[in-house]
Amino acid sequence: MGISVEWYNEEKTIILQTYDGRWTWEDFQDLTRVIMPKMMGEVPHTVHILSDFTNSDIPSMNGALTHAKHALSGYGDNWGYLIVVGGNSMVNMLVNLFRQLFNNSVGNKTFAAPTLEVAFDIAMQYDDAYEAMSE
């Protein structure tokens, strides 16, 4: 129970955060301040983050947007998209609200997806767009 984090693929372009059962905002802060920057610092290329809430919910709505904004602002320059997966209607509402409130580079890089497969497709769209700009 809690939060686990691992590389989703061998290329180290996607990090999978799995929220399982009960977790706290303190768990989340440890993840975003220590683990995520360390992992993202291992590689020079773009890294996408899939946050899987399929088997969990946000512990409290109190401060959720602030926690999310602080987490994303602490990620390295190489983060691509944050894709929240399998959230209930409240989680998805928070993602949409976050996108509206912070519609700068942080909000525009945050999405909701019903499944890991859809999230992976969204991440690949970022990579395809980046490749097209580089040509």
Side-chain angles (χ1 to χ4, degrees), residues 12-124:
K12 294 186 175 182
T13 59
I14 298 175
I15 293 174
L16 175 61
Q17 300 172 345
T18 304
Y19 295 77
D20 188 22
R22 292 182 172 255
W23 54 276
T24 66
W25 285 120
E26 185 176 307
D27 296 333
F28 179 78
Q29 290 171 0
D30 289 344
L31 171 76
T32 58
R33 280 194 246 154
V34 178
I35 297 170
M36 294 301 294
K38 181 181 176 192
M39 289 178 75
M40 294 175 78
E42 291 177 17
V43 296
H45 54 259
T46 300
V47 176
H48 304 295
I49 302 157
L50 307 184
S51 295
D52 187 358
F53 284 88
T54 302
N55 295 312
S56 185
D57 294 320
I58 292 177
S60 77
M61 302 308 287
N62 203 12
L65 292 175
T66 302
H67 286 294
K69 185 171 189 269
H70 285 281
L72 295 177
S73 65
Y75 289 168
D77 292 336
N78 62 331
W79 81 275
Y81 284 165
L82 167 66
I83 306 155
V84 177
V85 180
N88 64 24
S89 59
M90 186 62 70
V91 171
N92 291 334
M93 182 202 67
L94 279 173
V95 170
N96 289 329
L97 183 59
F98 186 86
R99 287 179 53 82
Q100 290 173 10
L101 290 174
F102 307 107
N103 68 353
N104 56 17
S105 61
V106 175
N108 291 337
K109 293 169 52 170
T110 306
F111 300 91
T115 65
L116 283 173
E117 293 77 18
V118 172
F120 187 76
D121 289 345
I122 293 170
M124 293 304 95

